[in-house]
Amino acid sequence: MAAFPELRLRRLRRTEPLRALVQENRVDIGDLVYPIFVVEGQGIKQELSSMPGIFRFSPDQLPLEVEEIARLKIPAVLLFGIPQHKDEVGSSAYHPQGVIPKAIRAIKKAVPELLVITDVCLCEYTSHGHCGVVVNGDVDNDQTLPLLAQTALSHAEAGADIVAPSDMMDGRVKAIRESLDTNGFQNIPILSYAAKYASAFYGPFREAAESAPQFGDRLSYQMNPPNVREALREVEEDIKEGADIIMVKPALAYLDVIRRVRDTFNHPLAAYNVSGEYALVKAAMQMGWLDEPRVVMEILTAIKRAGADIIITYHAKDVARWLQSI
Ligand code: PBG
């Protein structure tokens, strides 16, 4: 084995082509998923105050947006819906004419090849803002399952390519798989938010999606941030129930979790670079404190290096422009 002075690690860092040749991880546009907030109504394109550059669109405004996304070669979008009507049981989440089915149809008409992933959860649709049905002050797991299954089915019927449950109820993947299979959607994959933590990094999202819990918090169903072995159990459970792709969320404070999941399972792995992670970068940018492209690429590369195959990120459009110089 060579040692200094024969060994010189700087030899392979000398020029850009050399560095590129030995680069171990790369962010590829083909791995990115861009989240979109869709609000019921018409003619709405409204920027979010805590997420500069991110908008809420009414379904009629989506064709223009997704045509741009397709031009940038981003392969997939993840849809979140904000309904007009909220109630105790989140009925707008599984209404066949709900905001998400409308959005899916508008997108598929404009850009049929763009992959449409839909978030399956009740929190944007319930008056109390929790991710399931509340019984005696607690989110009832088993009563929530059929509603999630119905929500996923309504998305598949409207043309969704992948459904992504984010509620963290036990048994939701199985319930959704059964409902999809018995209705002829055997080929629709489930991307499960398998290890989703009760994180303060979701703050800007909750403003964007109007989904903040009106009482209490999500600690009784989302994971406790200090735990990592429990994340492996969550992932194992979702895989057993039939998840095709698994997710760790958030990404940055959980890079170790991404690595552990990558080393333990062979399923495709997604990581969600969440709203609060985006807001941190944008705020520093507005202060002139950081070089945005370099910081964002470093963050996304770290998520890949930790082991993620797919990255869901609000930076996707910017990254696509930087990588392709457009
Ligand atoms: C809804 C959901 C949340 C996010 C994705 N799906 C919020 C939450 O659980 O409170 C967060 C995404 C983000 O912060 O970008 N269940």
Side-chain angles (χ1 to χ4, degrees):
M1 217 127 34
F4 179 82
E6 291 79 22
L7 172 74
R8 290 181 185 270
L9 289 167
R10 286 184 56 190
R11 259 180 220 132
L12 294 176
R13 291 182 205 138
R14 226 165 28 86
T15 66
E16 178 54 37
L18 269 174
R19 288 191 292 271
L21 190 70
V22 298
Q23 181 164 329
E24 298 176 34
N25 292 284
R26 267 195 180 82
V27 175
D28 192 285
I29 301 164
D31 303 327
L32 303 182
V33 178
Y34 187 61
I36 300 184
F37 297 101
V38 192
V39 60
E40 192 77 66
Q42 279 224 317
I44 302 167
K45 181 180 173 185
Q46 175 190 31
E47 191 167 14
L48 301 165
S49 60
S50 54
M51 299 179 74
I54 303 296
F55 297 79
R56 295 207 280 207
F57 297 91
S58 51
D60 61 310
Q61 302 295 304
L62 287 173
L64 217 61
E65 176 68 7
V66 294
E67 279 159 16
E68 187 190 0
I69 290 167
R71 264 199 308 279
L72 290 168
K73 301 196 167 56
I74 296 167
V77 294
L78 171 60
L79 303 184
F80 294 96
I82 302 129
Q84 215 140 47
H85 164 81
K86 301 192 187 218
D87 59 30
E88 289 281 304
V89 291
S91 31
S92 300
Y94 34 92
H95 195 287
Q97 307 309 327
V99 62
I100 290 298
K102 269 188 214 150
I104 298 167
R105 289 192 202 99
I107 293 172
K108 283 292 172 187
K109 203 168 153 199
V111 186
E113 70 279 8
L114 184 70
L115 284 174
V116 175
I117 310 172
T118 58
D119 185 83
V120 175
C121 195
L122 299 186
C123 64
E124 300 102 310
Y125 305 88
T126 52
S127 42
H128 44 71
H130 278 288
C131 302
V133 181
V134 174
V135 179
N136 299 328
D138 188 31
V139 176
D140 189 282
N141 192 87
D142 298 13
Q143 285 191 39
T144 302
L145 297 181
L147 305 185
L148 293 168
Q150 214 177 321
T151 303
L153 182 60
S154 73
H155 297 174
E157 280 168 345
D161 296 291
I162 300 177
V163 293
S166 69
D167 51 282
M168 288 300 277
M169 298 302 120
D170 287 311
R172 79 282 173 67
V173 173
K174 181 167 188 272
I176 290 171
R177 187 71 271 158
E178 280 170 5
S179 138
L180 291 176
D181 285 1
T182 51
N183 288 282
F185 295 102
Q186 293 89 342
N187 289 328
I188 299 297
I190 298 174
L191 190 177
S192 101
Y193 288 67
K196 176 175 177 182
Y197 288 87
S199 171
F201 284 100
Y202 306 150
F205 173 96
R206 290 184 186 168
E207 179 207 322
E210 296 172 6
S211 66
Q214 299 304 299
F215 66 88
D217 51 43
R218 303 210 202 290
L219 285 159
S220 79
Y221 44 104
Q222 297 181 347
M223 281 186 55
N224 196 18
N227 294 357
V228 62
R229 296 192 310 264
E230 187 188 355
L232 300 179
R233 298 183 70 199
E234 279 286 359
V235 170
E236 186 178 7
E237 176 65 22
D238 281 9
I239 287 176
K240 274 192 204 143
E241 289 180 24
D244 299 281
I245 306 174
I246 50 188
M247 191 201 294
V248 172
K249 174 181 173 198
L252 279 190
Y254 300 85
L255 293 174
D256 58 320
V257 181
I258 296 173
R259 170 47 56 194
R260 289 288 296 276
V261 171
R262 171 72 301 146
D263 288 344
T264 313
F265 302 96
N266 291 318
H267 281 56
L269 173 58
Y272 200 140
N273 177 218
V274 300
S275 58
E277 298 170 356
Y278 177 84
L280 289 181
V281 173
K282 286 290 175 179
M285 266 293 301
Q286 288 183 344
M287 300 298 288
W289 290 344
L290 290 175
D291 175 338
E292 186 179 23
R294 288 192 57 199
V295 163
V296 170
M297 291 313 291
E298 194 170 327
I299 287 173
L300 299 188
T301 306
I303 297 171
K304 295 277 321 230
R305 195 181 62 231
D309 302 302
I310 301 163
I311 305 176
I312 300 163
T313 179
Y314 302 97
H315 296 293
K317 282 168 66 178
D318 288 336
V319 170
R321 288 193 196 99
W322 300 328
L323 287 176
Q324 298 167 120
S325 311
I326 44 181

